Amino acid sequence: MSSPVRPPALSTSLTTTPVHAASPAGAWWRDAVIYQVYPRSFADADGDGIGDLPGITARLDHLAELGVDAVWLSPFYRSPQRDAGYDVADYRDVDPLFGTLADADALLARAHSLGLRVIVDLVPNHTSSDHPWFRAALGAAPGSPERARYLFRDGRGPHGAEPPNNWTSVFGGPAWTRVTEADGTPGQWYLHLFDTSQPDLDWSNPEVRAELEDVLRFWLDRGVDGFRVDVAHGMVKAPGLPDWDGTTAMIDGGHDGTYGSEDGATGSGSAGPMWDQEGLHDIYRSWNRVLAEYDGDRALVAEAWVEPMSRLARYVRPGEMHQAFNFAFLTTLWSGPALRAVVTGSLEANDEVGAPTTWVLSNHDVVRHPSRLGLEVPGSRPNGIGTTDPQPDAELGLHRARAASLLMLALPGSAYVYQGEELGLPEHTTLPDEERQDPAWWRSGHTERGRDGCRVPLPWEADAPAYGFSPGGRSWLSQPDVFADHALDQQRGVPGSTYELYRTALHVRRERSLGTGSLAWVSGLRTTAGDVVGDDVLALVNRDLLVVTTVGGAEAVLPRGWEPVVTSGPTRASDEGGVLVPPDTTVWAVLRD
Ligand code: GLC
């Protein structure tokens, strides 16, 4: 069990409030830093302008050098790519765009030889409409076993011309599409919480459960270390599929920064008969048993947009999943009190069930955090940014993003890094609209720009065509000119670069076992004027490290004797000789004897 929190001796004018105790070393996923690879945009080996598995394998050294523990691969399965592979037509094969099963095996072998674990994406809420099951369902009659794998229903109103209920799709528009029956007449409707090409499976059907468990085994047998489970809060729907007047959004507006307030709302819409139903937990208990048959601490990670945090923690109770993405942290505004509340609330809720807390700032579904933090409301979360939208302040956004990342990497638990964030990559906010491929762009009637701007291929070399992404110089989405400054070869070995900041932080995090460490808030730090700092300065101790993050224009002076070991930005000596932490900066400091 946990040991008591024993923060190092601080100056007598400082007090600590313990939140989370250190834990002994355990399964790898409890404190892992996991790097998300988005295969189509990481590295292209065959020159078609779309990243692929051999491209990833060839660049795995980069991840080992960076110092992460594991890689999560977004989907690379056979798919018509209507939602960038989150529409799977064959769960047991690699899409020719990305390579072959042999390429997947080679990737796993190379990763393991470098000491990196590999998690793959599992998309169990829906298949592609090209999946053989859905094709069979279309060709079969209402009431047939083929249709019973999906959620086919008769329509309402005269001739069944109205959808079975009023649900809308997460990507916009209705969540139901009507099919034409074999005799040419307008027929039943099928449910798709996402695109029309992503029909929802019926998880009350034992055949569906058996099939997906078999898919788990297929990949476990090939050696994967776990699964990131897509839409893990959506597979089971309330009986009778009742109408719902709320929005069906997973990703809507911004967090109001009031996490931990009475409503604790992130605005991510997890209420409703399509989300967070009790029946999900039985599925995860049986998956847990499947994974437990295999050696090596295989893990299940929930992509579940569920709130409040106590509700999310139910997915990671003993015998269920192992981790859940902490979207409350990702959606919190750049505000000291809001960040403090979300960190405390996350650790407390997960400690209740004995699970590690995860931390994440960016992924393939949200505007990259250097851009979000440069917006007028820092940390707000538009669904994409286009040329005609207000543009982020790139410099300020990156400055804050480095502070946010360094805060994240100091926190106990497991952290997720989205490809390119180690380069400080901004969102592509001027991507031409005609290049957009996210179904959200056209399903919303061009009101939501969607997620293409965070999915632009990575820059490896400033002077190479497509910045070294593809030998042919092609790139499936055009890269903005500013990517040249962010290319890996411009940052590697350059003191102060974002890449070197991540590398150092990951090294120190590992060396000092911060992932299994403790957290206590520290109060009583002073400003240069000698006043006690306000709520916008976050100060915490994890093991023997003091971590100070200044938010919203606040400054703080490190207590006497503490010296920086990692800083997200420049610090300077205060008039009294202590180290001054300027606004929007994180410092990791140790006490010198
Ligand atoms: C998840 C994925 C997202 C995808 C959706 C539907 O939210 O992260 O990219 O569009 O599920 O599968």
Side-chain angles (χ1 to χ4, degrees):
M1 257 320 280
S2 316
S3 57
V5 183
R6 245 185 244 107
L10 292 158
S11 121
T12 46
S13 59
L14 301 177
T15 52
T16 56
T17 310
V19 172
H20 170 82
S23 49
W28 67 271
W29 43 265
R30 300 192 78 88
D31 60 343
V33 176
I34 303 175
Y35 183 100
Q36 180 187 357
V37 168
Y38 194 66
R40 56 173 50 228
S41 300
F42 188 72
D44 175 25
D46 67 7
D48 65 355
I50 300 178
D52 46 39
L53 299 186
I56 298 168
T57 305
R59 297 274 192 185
L60 283 174
D61 296 44
H62 164 65
L63 303 185
E65 182 185 275
L66 183 60
V68 299
D69 303 294
V71 179
W72 147 37
L73 297 167
S74 279
F76 49 78
Y77 315 108
R78 244 180 220 279
S79 160
Q81 307 291 331
R82 300 225 175 79
D83 184 23
Y86 282 96
D87 49 324
V88 180
D90 184 348
Y91 292 91
R92 297 181 187 78
D93 202 2
V94 174
D95 195 278
L97 260 187
F98 301 123
T100 62
L101 273 177
D103 292 330
D105 291 341
L107 189 161
L108 276 165
R110 177 72 185 141
H112 287 155
S113 76
L114 289 167
L116 298 167
R117 313 262 179 171
V118 179
I119 288 178
V120 295
D121 225 301
L122 183 77
V123 189
N125 178 68
H126 43 264
T127 69
S128 158
S129 51
D130 283 7
H131 191 285
W133 271 10
F134 193 71
R135 289 172 176 263
L138 289 181
S144 62
E146 287 83 356
R147 290 224 171 156
R149 294 164 177 152
Y150 294 90
L151 290 160
F152 279 87
R153 294 289 183 274
D154 293 332
R156 294 199 286 204
H159 312 293
E162 300 294 322
N165 70 22
N166 67 354
W167 296 2
T168 52
S169 147
V170 172
F171 293 153
W176 294 92
T177 291
R178 194 169 196 187
V179 301
T180 304
E181 301 297 353
D183 63 4
T185 58
Q188 287 194 302
W189 299 71
Y190 68 89
L191 178 71
H192 50 88
L193 289 182
F194 295 88
D195 188 43
T196 52
S197 64
Q198 294 166 299
D200 282 49
L201 288 163
D202 183 350
W203 274 87
S204 67
N205 183 338
E207 202 188 347
V208 170
R209 287 183 65 144
E211 168 67 2
L212 268 292
E213 284 192 15
D214 196 67
V215 170
L216 288 177
R217 289 180 201 282
F218 178 86
W219 290 102
L220 289 165
D221 287 339
R222 296 195 102 84
V224 304
D225 299 286
F227 301 89
R228 176 265 189 193
V229 180
D230 191 62
V231 199
H233 60 316
M235 289 135 69
V236 174
K237 281 78 180 173
L241 310 180
D243 277 345
W244 164 249
D245 290 326
T247 53
T248 320
M250 295 215 302
I251 308 167
D252 61 7
H255 189 319
D256 60 3
T258 56
Y259 180 84
S261 67
E262 267 166 45
D263 65 350
T266 62
S268 56
S270 70
M274 65 294 287
W275 305 130
D276 195 26
Q277 300 294 307
E278 196 53 36
L280 290 164
H281 298 284
D282 188 52
I283 299 170
Y284 299 137
R285 282 189 283 270
S286 66
W287 289 8
N288 182 295
R289 289 192 291 273
V290 172
L291 266 67
E293 291 169 24
Y294 290 80
D295 61 0
D297 294 323
R298 319 273 177 126
L300 294 165
V301 185
E303 188 227 12
W305 293 79
V306 168
E307 59 193 19
M309 195 58 81
S310 55
R311 193 78 200 165
L312 181 63
R314 300 176 81 245
Y315 289 72
V316 289
R317 288 176 294 189
E320 295 198 28
M321 300 182 109
H322 302 87
Q323 290 188 343
F325 286 104
N326 187 348
F327 293 124
F329 182 67
L330 183 151
T331 55
T332 296
L333 295 182
W334 189 237
S335 134
L339 286 166
R340 188 179 292 104
V342 75
V343 169
T344 302
S346 307
L347 289 167
E348 285 177 351
N350 286 297
D351 281 351
E352 229 8 74
V353 294
T357 297
T358 67
W359 310 102
V360 61
L361 289 166
S362 280
N363 66 29
H364 66 293
D365 289 330
V366 298
V367 171
R368 284 180 175 276
H369 67 280
S371 299
R372 276 191 285 122
L373 290 167
L375 290 170
E376 194 178 345
V377 179
S380 56
R381 203 163 36 97
N383 187 1
I385 298 175
T387 322
T388 54
D389 295 322
Q391 296 293 301
D393 179 330
E395 200 180 325
L396 182 59
L398 179 57
H399 183 64
R400 287 179 178 147
R402 290 164 54 110
S405 299
L406 199 56
L407 170 65
M408 172 176 88
L409 294 174
L411 300 174
S414 171
Y416 280 81
V417 171
Y418 176 48
Q419 66 176 38
E421 81 173 66
E422 79 280 21
L423 305 176
L425 275 196
E427 184 85 358
H428 190 345
T429 57
T430 54
L431 184 73
D433 284 342
E434 54 279 13
E435 285 191 43
R436 295 191 186 279
Q437 304 205 11
D438 185 351
W441 168 236
W442 52 269
R443 278 194 69 82
S444 68
H446 293 182
T447 56
E448 305 281 349
R449 284 252 154 47
R451 301 161 296 174
D452 295 303
C454 66
R455 299 174 173 181
V456 175
L458 292 192
W460 296 92
E461 292 138 34
D463 293 329
Y467 304 121
F469 164 69
S470 169
R474 292 161 69 188
S475 171
W476 70 279
L477 288 175
S478 57
Q479 301 155 298
D481 294 346
V482 68
F483 270 29
D485 304 336
H486 291 273
L488 178 64
D489 72 344
Q490 300 301 295
Q491 301 199 42
R492 207 157 160 251
V494 177
S497 69
T498 302
Y499 171 75
E500 292 300 338
L501 172 67
Y502 269 74
R503 213 161 74 88
T504 307
L506 290 171
H507 177 76
V508 174
R509 179 187 158 91
R510 182 177 287 175
E511 193 180 59
R512 294 178 185 265
S513 304
L514 300 183
T516 52
S518 55
L519 187 139
W521 294 115
V522 175
S523 44
L525 256 64
R526 304 268 163 181
T527 65
T528 31
D531 303 326
V532 172
V533 299
D535 276 0
D536 270 344
V537 174
L538 299 173
L540 62 94
V541 278
N542 179 353
R543 297 201 186 268
D544 59 349
L545 209 65
L546 172 67
V547 178
V548 178
T549 301
T550 50
V551 180
E555 296 182 339
V557 179
L558 292 185
R560 190 178 300 279
W562 290 82
E563 286 176 15
V565 282
V566 192
T567 64
S568 70
T571 56
R572 55 178 194 275
S574 72
D575 294 344
E576 299 73 36
V579 175
L580 175 72
V581 186
D584 297 321
T585 301
T586 294
V587 168
W588 293 4
V590 291
L591 190 58
R592 295 284 180 223
D593 315 316

